Amino acid sequence: MERVAIFPGSFDPFTIGHEALVHRGLLLFDKVIIAVGYNAAKSGSFSLNARMAMIKKVFADNPNVEVDSYEGLTIDYCRKKRIPFLIRGLRTAADFEFERTVAQVNRAMNNDIETVFLLTDPEYSFINSTVIRDILIHKGDASSFVPSIVNLSDYINK
Amino acid sequence: MERVAIFPGSFDPFTIGHEALVHRGLLLFDKVIIAVGYNAAKSGSFSLNARMAMIKKVFADNPNVEVDSYEGLTIDYCRKKRIPFLIRGLRTAADFEFERTVAQVNRAMNNDIETVFLLTDPEYSFINSTVIRDILIHKGDASSFVPSIVNLSDYINK
Amino acid sequence: MERVAIFPGSFDPFTIGHEALVHRGLLLFDKVIIAVGYNAAKSGSFSLNARMAMIKKVFADNPNVEVDSYEGLTIDYCRKKRIPFLIRGLRTAADFEFERTVAQVNRAMNNDIETVFLLTDPEYSFINSTVIRDILIHKGDASSFVPSIVNLSDYINK
Amino acid sequence: MERVAIFPGSFDPFTIGHEALVHRGLLLFDKVIIAVGYNAAKSGSFSLNARMAMIKKVFADNPNVEVDSYEGLTIDYCRKKRIPFLIRGLRTAADFEFERTVAQVNRAMNNDIETVFLLTDPEYSFINSTVIRDILIHKGDASSFVPSIVNLSDYINK
Amino acid sequence: MERVAIFPGSFDPFTIGHEALVHRGLLLFDKVIIAVGYNAAKSGSFSLNARMAMIKKVFADNPNVEVDSYEGLTIDYCRKKRIPFLIRGLRTAADFEFERTVAQVNRAMNNDIETVFLLTDPEYSFINSTVIRDILIHKGDASSFVPSIVNLSDYINK
Amino acid sequence: MERVAIFPGSFDPFTIGHEALVHRGLLLFDKVIIAVGYNAAKSGSFSLNARMAMIKKVFADNPNVEVDSYEGLTIDYCRKKRIPFLIRGLRTAADFEFERTVAQVNRAMNNDIETVFLLTDPEYSFINSTVIRDILIHKGDASSFVPSIVNLSDYINK
């Protein structure tokens, strides 16, 4: 039986921490669907199209990674796709408390969904999308925090 | 001597976690005043009237619970009402750090106010108003997270 | 109706942080029983007698404070005394996580016991019995960390 | 390809929290090996035999659960068994910090081992082996914290 | 060789906690530059001019304190000034996690910058600029949380 | 004026994390004294002589590093040496809470001592002496966690 998991997030933008986590998820699952959550009312720094294009480029050669998008609650998306596993990365204790709340709400609303937590590599533990957006706002260089194949300037204002 | 405590919050909306906490507070105090803090400049998801109506319905049969509202600092409200006890619930370590800051500021500004912390039941520990508002924004079903007598759709846009 | 609470601990030794907490508990309760838990198999730095003598001296003039001792589980002691309230102090987030576990175990074993948490004053937040014992082992001066009426050397090896 | 994971621990004793975690692990893996780590120099409250007998009884009807024991480092055991997945449960933020250290040490020593974290159910989050041992030392009743099929008194001093 | 450090922040407004930290930094460094970070697009509660005037008044008699301002990334400012030391205060565990992320990003982007953390005095640990702004919004009295020489009403709307 | 700091610890054994921290401390101070605290009543895994020999080997070529030992309270040692600065490393939020307590006790007992916290590099954040001792007890290979010049087997049972 094929085991599939969803790796949901806003990925605004996708970081090297996210990339490493997908590779770890592929050890555990036959297929990982990277699902970009968006909110029509809140535009984000990168457009949904830019975020999906960026991720597709990173995993262009990997047939076990699929890129999708969804609006609304993550668990409604899981239910619609009939996929019971979610992958989430953990970096810090604050992360943990937030993710625990989300996972417990998901379980209370749909007991069939299981969240699998993987640890972020220590050398990536300080990297997150907020940090990158902050660097870009202040016109700094964030290239070392995104997958090497991604040139962030290709995706800004796209 | 009658012992009275204030349970302040924005209650936007009131959750089953809040409801359980009031019942625990009533073991300790003769009367609990649920005080809905509002900010004229920031409307909230539910109107002040809707929030107060919701809470009054939950405790309609309990003469030891009073529902009130206030604008401004919580300690100014306590001072005006001459009530020296505040009840606050604790769910997580992050909660604790936030509440400690608030309680210490309150004490520094008015040494007569004592904050009494009660623990949230573990099965409600992941429930908070933000989670409920988030579910409603995404058109999910949050009914199991509010007191059973409350039908949230009765209070939206009221 | 008289409201009584138990303030349990090993108090090895009793600190100024403990003393301040008892005074805050007396605002909330008519009587506070300071209950020194001991373990016949584990002697502690100060003897049970020394710990009780020390606490009795601090509250000699306060008829609303009682000093008692118990062996075994705290909730069994509460049950035997028919007192449903426990007072506990909170200093740090690590404290909180520990106390939450204890309080939840107590509730699971006896639903009638309610733990009331009070916040330690910020200027006492770093003081605990372990710190004092550590200073004494290294022959340092810990007098500023215990109630001013207590002379620790009166209680050592008693 | 069969996916196997090791769930290591001292299980001194095995709790309902451990039991629930194994059931969640079985959603993700074809087989879960519960590996009881022991230390010849440190006896524990329950003997290795008692701990293994207890766990075997709980999963007697489940062919996908295996019970084993090991001495020494967990990663050496994994290497010897050629199994690259570890399951660990997370309850609190303090748990998380401890487990992160262990997982990072494991990865630094053997890059092929992946730790998969699953969340403990909120209603079991306060239950751990230390709590149970503490209740037993004080002659309290811990039966509601172990799997219902386990009668702890059958395993003491065995 | 003169040792200089930058103490960056938004200081909106400057608190007694900040003031105490500068005095501690001066034990360690020959000169401390208090650098007010601003964002042309986000005005803040106090204007940049008001914040700088307030800080200059506090340290008017101290030739080892310099007050400056910058826009953009803190590390770009450090690089431009050729100053490799940053001072940051730590109050809570949440603070620590945030500051660790920032310091690690800074190091990853410019390996020559070292962040030196000093501990906030326990009696100031609950004071921060957000708390003060919140009190002012609700028309409360925040005078005891800012340096005694500062009269906040002199700086509002300036 | 020469600036000197003490880096106290039990260093049982000295790790690559400790080594990196000393190098960072030397950016800030003219001299760093690595002070090995010992307790005559508690022997440790490595003898005091072995620990000092190990550290001296690591910094043999660095005239700005001195290695010393002390028994008793750290602040008494600082007072005797007339050195007002302590260096401590921070890895996790749990570390922070512990170190804050120690630093506040030190300040309460001797207001002239200032603790300077430096951040551990993220790739070393999981390394500590306990982890290494644990690996050695289980006969694992800990060589990658100590300075490359140190061969741990040279120091065992010395």
Side-chain angles (χ1 to χ4, degrees):
Chain A
M1 198 198 69
E2 202 195 38
R3 278 203 179 82
V4 184
I6 290 171
F7 178 35
S10 53
F11 305 116
D12 184 26
F14 196 78
T15 72
I16 42 171
H18 295 137
E19 185 189 16
L21 216 63
V22 170
H23 286 299
R24 297 170 91 169
L26 286 170
L27 300 173
L28 207 56
F29 294 99
D30 301 301
K31 190 197 269 190
V32 170
I33 301 176
I34 305 176
V36 185
Y38 70 96
N39 185 334
K42 230 176 73 184
S43 63
S45 286
F46 292 85
S47 71
L48 174 62
N49 280 345
R51 290 184 252 163
M52 290 186 74
M54 199 185 297
I55 303 170
K56 279 179 177 160
K57 189 167 187 188
V58 175
F59 297 102
D61 299 333
N62 196 325
N64 300 322
V65 175
E66 204 177 284
V67 184
D68 196 8
S69 69
Y70 67 101
E71 203 180 355
L73 290 175
T74 306
I75 56 157
D76 287 338
Y77 172 74
C78 294
R79 229 178 313 209
K80 214 186 62 192
K81 299 280 281 191
R82 298 177 175 277
I83 294 176
F85 297 112
L86 282 182
I87 297 175
R88 297 293 294 160
L90 288 177
R91 287 164 310 168
T92 65
D95 259 16
F96 167 71
E97 294 220 327
F98 175 78
E99 293 291 344
R100 182 176 54 183
T101 297
V102 172
Q104 289 177 347
V105 171
N106 283 349
R107 278 175 64 85
M109 292 181 74
N110 181 347
N111 213 41
D112 296 340
I113 289 183
E114 185 68 36
T115 306
V116 174
F117 294 100
L118 300 177
L119 216 59
T120 302
D121 295 350
E123 62 271 33
Y124 298 153
S125 69
F126 58 85
I127 299 172
N128 59 50
S129 300
T130 311
V131 161
I132 295 179
R133 287 198 305 271
D134 205 48
I135 293 172
L136 295 177
I137 285 170
H138 291 104
K139 304 193 188 311
D141 175 10
S143 59
S144 61
F145 301 151
V146 295
S148 55
I149 208 175
V150 169
N151 186 346
L152 279 175
S153 59
D154 291 350
Y155 300 94
I156 292 175
N157 302 324
K158 291 292 158 70
Chain B
M1 197 198 70
E2 201 195 37
R3 277 203 179 83
V4 184
I6 290 172
F7 179 35
S10 53
F11 306 118
D12 185 25
F14 196 78
T15 72
I16 42 171
H18 294 138
E19 184 189 17
L21 216 63
V22 171
H23 286 298
R24 297 171 91 169
L26 286 170
L27 300 173
L28 208 55
F29 294 98
D30 300 302
K31 189 197 267 191
V32 171
I33 301 176
I34 305 176
V36 185
Y38 69 97
N39 185 336
K42 230 176 71 183
S43 63
S45 285
F46 291 85
S47 71
L48 174 61
N49 280 345
R51 289 184 253 163
M52 291 186 74
M54 200 185 298
I55 302 171
K56 279 178 177 159
K57 188 167 188 189
V58 175
F59 297 101
D61 298 333
N62 196 324
N64 299 322
V65 176
E66 203 178 283
V67 184
D68 195 8
S69 69
Y70 67 100
E71 202 179 357
L73 290 176
T74 305
I75 56 157
D76 288 337
Y77 172 74
C78 296
R79 231 178 312 209
K80 214 186 62 193
K81 299 280 281 191
R82 298 177 176 278
I83 294 175
F85 297 113
L86 280 183
I87 297 175
R88 297 293 294 161
L90 288 178
R91 288 164 309 170
T92 65
D95 259 16
F96 168 72
E97 295 221 325
F98 175 79
E99 293 291 345
R100 181 176 56 184
T101 297
V102 172
Q104 289 178 346
V105 171
N106 284 349
R107 278 175 64 86
M109 293 181 74
N110 181 346
N111 213 40
D112 297 341
I113 289 183
E114 185 67 37
T115 306
V116 174
F117 294 100
L118 300 177
L119 214 59
T120 302
D121 295 349
E123 61 270 33
Y124 298 154
S125 69
F126 58 87
I127 299 173
N128 59 51
S129 300
T130 311
V131 161
I132 295 179
R133 288 199 304 271
D134 205 48
I135 293 172
L136 295 178
I137 286 170
H138 290 105
K139 305 192 187 314
D141 175 11
S143 58
S144 60
F145 300 152
V146 294
S148 54
I149 208 175
V150 169
N151 186 346
L152 279 176
S153 58
D154 291 351
Y155 300 94
I156 291 176
N157 304 322
K158 292 291 157 69
Chain C
M1 199 197 68
E2 202 194 37
R3 279 206 179 80
V4 185
I6 291 171
F7 179 35
S10 53
F11 305 117
D12 183 25
F14 196 78
T15 72
I16 41 170
H18 294 138
E19 184 189 19
L21 216 63
V22 171
H23 286 299
R24 297 171 90 169
L26 286 169
L27 300 173
L28 208 55
F29 293 98
D30 299 303
K31 189 196 270 190
V32 171
I33 301 176
I34 305 177
V36 185
Y38 69 97
N39 185 335
K42 230 175 72 182
S43 64
S45 286
F46 293 85
S47 70
L48 174 62
N49 280 346
R51 290 183 252 163
M52 290 186 74
M54 199 185 299
I55 302 171
K56 279 179 178 159
K57 188 168 188 190
V58 176
F59 297 102
D61 299 333
N62 196 324
N64 300 322
V65 175
E66 203 177 283
V67 184
D68 195 8
S69 69
Y70 68 100
E71 202 180 354
L73 290 176
T74 306
I75 56 158
D76 288 339
Y77 173 74
C78 295
R79 231 180 309 210
K80 213 186 63 193
K81 299 279 280 189
R82 297 179 177 278
I83 293 176
F85 297 112
L86 282 181
I87 297 176
R88 297 293 293 159
L90 287 178
R91 287 163 310 170
T92 64
D95 260 16
F96 167 71
E97 294 220 328
F98 176 78
E99 293 291 345
R100 182 177 54 183
T101 297
V102 173
Q104 289 177 347
V105 171
N106 284 350
R107 279 175 63 85
M109 291 180 75
N110 182 345
N111 214 41
D112 296 341
I113 290 184
E114 185 69 35
T115 306
V116 174
F117 294 100
L118 300 177
L119 215 58
T120 302
D121 294 350
E123 61 271 34
Y124 297 154
S125 68
F126 58 86
I127 299 172
N128 60 52
S129 300
T130 310
V131 160
I132 295 179
R133 288 198 306 270
D134 205 49
I135 293 171
L136 296 177
I137 285 170
H138 291 103
K139 304 192 188 311
D141 174 10
S143 59
S144 60
F145 301 152
V146 294
S148 54
I149 208 175
V150 170
N151 186 346
L152 279 176
S153 58
D154 291 350
Y155 300 94
I156 290 177
N157 302 323
K158 293 290 158 69
Chain D
M1 198 197 70
E2 202 195 36
R3 278 203 178 83
V4 184
I6 290 172
F7 179 36
S10 53
F11 305 117
D12 185 25
F14 196 78
T15 72
I16 41 171
H18 295 138
E19 184 189 18
L21 216 63
V22 171
H23 286 300
R24 297 170 91 169
L26 286 170
L27 300 173
L28 208 55
F29 293 98
D30 300 302
K31 188 196 269 189
V32 171
I33 301 176
I34 305 176
V36 185
Y38 70 98
N39 186 335
K42 229 175 74 184
S43 64
S45 286
F46 292 86
S47 70
L48 174 62
N49 280 346
R51 290 184 252 162
M52 290 185 74
M54 198 185 298
I55 302 171
K56 279 179 178 159
K57 188 167 188 190
V58 175
F59 296 102
D61 298 333
N62 195 326
N64 299 323
V65 176
E66 204 177 285
V67 184
D68 196 8
S69 69
Y70 68 100
E71 203 180 354
L73 290 176
T74 306
I75 57 156
D76 288 338
Y77 173 74
C78 294
R79 230 179 313 211
K80 213 186 63 193
K81 299 281 280 190
R82 298 177 176 278
I83 293 175
F85 297 112
L86 282 181
I87 297 175
R88 296 294 293 161
L90 288 177
R91 288 164 309 170
T92 65
D95 259 16
F96 167 71
E97 294 220 328
F98 175 77
E99 294 291 344
R100 181 176 55 184
T101 298
V102 172
Q104 289 177 347
V105 172
N106 283 350
R107 279 175 64 86
M109 292 181 73
N110 182 345
N111 213 41
D112 296 340
I113 289 183
E114 185 68 36
T115 307
V116 174
F117 295 100
L118 300 177
L119 216 58
T120 303
D121 295 350
E123 61 270 34
Y124 298 153
S125 68
F126 57 86
I127 299 172
N128 59 51
S129 301
T130 310
V131 161
I132 294 179
R133 288 199 305 271
D134 205 49
I135 293 171
L136 295 178
I137 285 171
H138 291 104
K139 304 193 189 312
D141 174 12
S143 60
S144 60
F145 300 152
V146 294
S148 54
I149 208 174
V150 169
N151 185 347
L152 279 176
S153 58
D154 291 350
Y155 300 94
I156 292 175
N157 303 324
K158 292 292 157 71
Chain E
M1 197 199 69
E2 200 195 38
R3 279 205 178 82
V4 185
I6 290 172
F7 179 33
S10 53
F11 306 116
D12 185 25
F14 196 78
T15 72
I16 42 171
H18 295 137
E19 184 188 17
L21 216 62
V22 171
H23 286 298
R24 297 171 90 170
L26 286 170
L27 301 173
L28 207 56
F29 293 98
D30 300 302
K31 189 196 270 189
V32 171
I33 301 176
I34 305 177
V36 186
Y38 69 96
N39 185 335
K42 230 175 72 183
S43 62
S45 286
F46 292 85
S47 71
L48 174 61
N49 280 347
R51 290 183 253 164
M52 291 185 74
M54 200 185 297
I55 303 171
K56 279 178 178 159
K57 189 167 188 189
V58 175
F59 297 102
D61 298 333
N62 196 324
N64 300 322
V65 175
E66 203 177 284
V67 185
D68 195 8
S69 69
Y70 68 100
E71 202 181 355
L73 290 176
T74 305
I75 57 158
D76 287 338
Y77 173 75
C78 295
R79 230 178 313 207
K80 214 185 63 193
K81 300 280 281 188
R82 297 177 177 278
I83 295 175
F85 298 112
L86 281 182
I87 296 175
R88 297 293 294 160
L90 288 178
R91 287 164 309 170
T92 65
D95 259 16
F96 167 71
E97 295 222 326
F98 175 78
E99 293 291 345
R100 181 176 56 183
T101 297
V102 172
Q104 289 178 346
V105 171
N106 284 350
R107 278 175 64 85
M109 292 180 74
N110 181 346
N111 213 40
D112 297 341
I113 290 183
E114 185 68 36
T115 306
V116 174
F117 295 100
L118 301 176
L119 216 57
T120 302
D121 295 350
E123 62 270 34
Y124 298 154
S125 69
F126 57 86
I127 299 171
N128 59 51
S129 301
T130 310
V131 160
I132 295 178
R133 287 199 305 270
D134 205 48
I135 293 171
L136 295 178
I137 285 170
H138 291 105
K139 305 193 186 312
D141 174 11
S143 59
S144 60
F145 301 151
V146 295
S148 54
I149 208 174
V150 169
N151 185 346
L152 278 176
S153 58
D154 291 351
Y155 300 93
I156 291 176
N157 303 323
K158 292 292 158 68
Chain F
M1 198 197 68
E2 201 195 37
R3 278 205 178 82
V4 184
I6 289 172
F7 178 36
S10 53
F11 305 117
D12 185 25
F14 197 77
T15 72
I16 41 170
H18 295 137
E19 184 188 19
L21 217 63
V22 171
H23 286 299
R24 297 171 91 168
L26 287 170
L27 300 173
L28 208 55
F29 294 98
D30 299 303
K31 189 197 269 192
V32 171
I33 301 176
I34 305 176
V36 185
Y38 69 97
N39 185 335
K42 228 176 71 183
S43 63
S45 285
F46 292 85
S47 71
L48 174 61
N49 281 345
R51 290 183 254 164
M52 290 186 74
M54 201 185 299
I55 302 171
K56 279 177 178 160
K57 188 166 188 191
V58 176
F59 297 101
D61 298 333
N62 196 325
N64 299 323
V65 175
E66 202 178 284
V67 185
D68 195 8
S69 69
Y70 68 101
E71 203 180 355
L73 290 176
T74 306
I75 58 158
D76 288 338
Y77 172 75
C78 295
R79 232 178 312 210
K80 213 186 62 192
K81 300 279 281 190
R82 298 179 177 276
I83 294 176
F85 297 113
L86 281 182
I87 297 175
R88 296 293 293 160
L90 288 177
R91 288 165 309 169
T92 65
D95 260 15
F96 167 71
E97 295 221 326
F98 175 79
E99 294 290 344
R100 181 176 55 183
T101 296
V102 173
Q104 289 177 348
V105 171
N106 284 349
R107 280 176 63 86
M109 293 180 74
N110 182 346
N111 212 40
D112 296 340
I113 289 184
E114 184 68 35
T115 306
V116 174
F117 295 100
L118 300 177
L119 215 58
T120 302
D121 294 350
E123 61 272 33
Y124 298 153
S125 68
F126 57 88
I127 298 172
N128 58 52
S129 301
T130 311
V131 160
I132 294 179
R133 288 199 305 271
D134 205 49
I135 293 171
L136 295 177
I137 285 170
H138 290 104
K139 305 192 188 312
D141 174 11
S143 59
S144 60
F145 300 152
V146 294
S148 54
I149 208 174
V150 170
N151 186 346
L152 280 175
S153 58
D154 291 352
Y155 301 94
I156 292 176
N157 302 323
K158 293 289 157 72

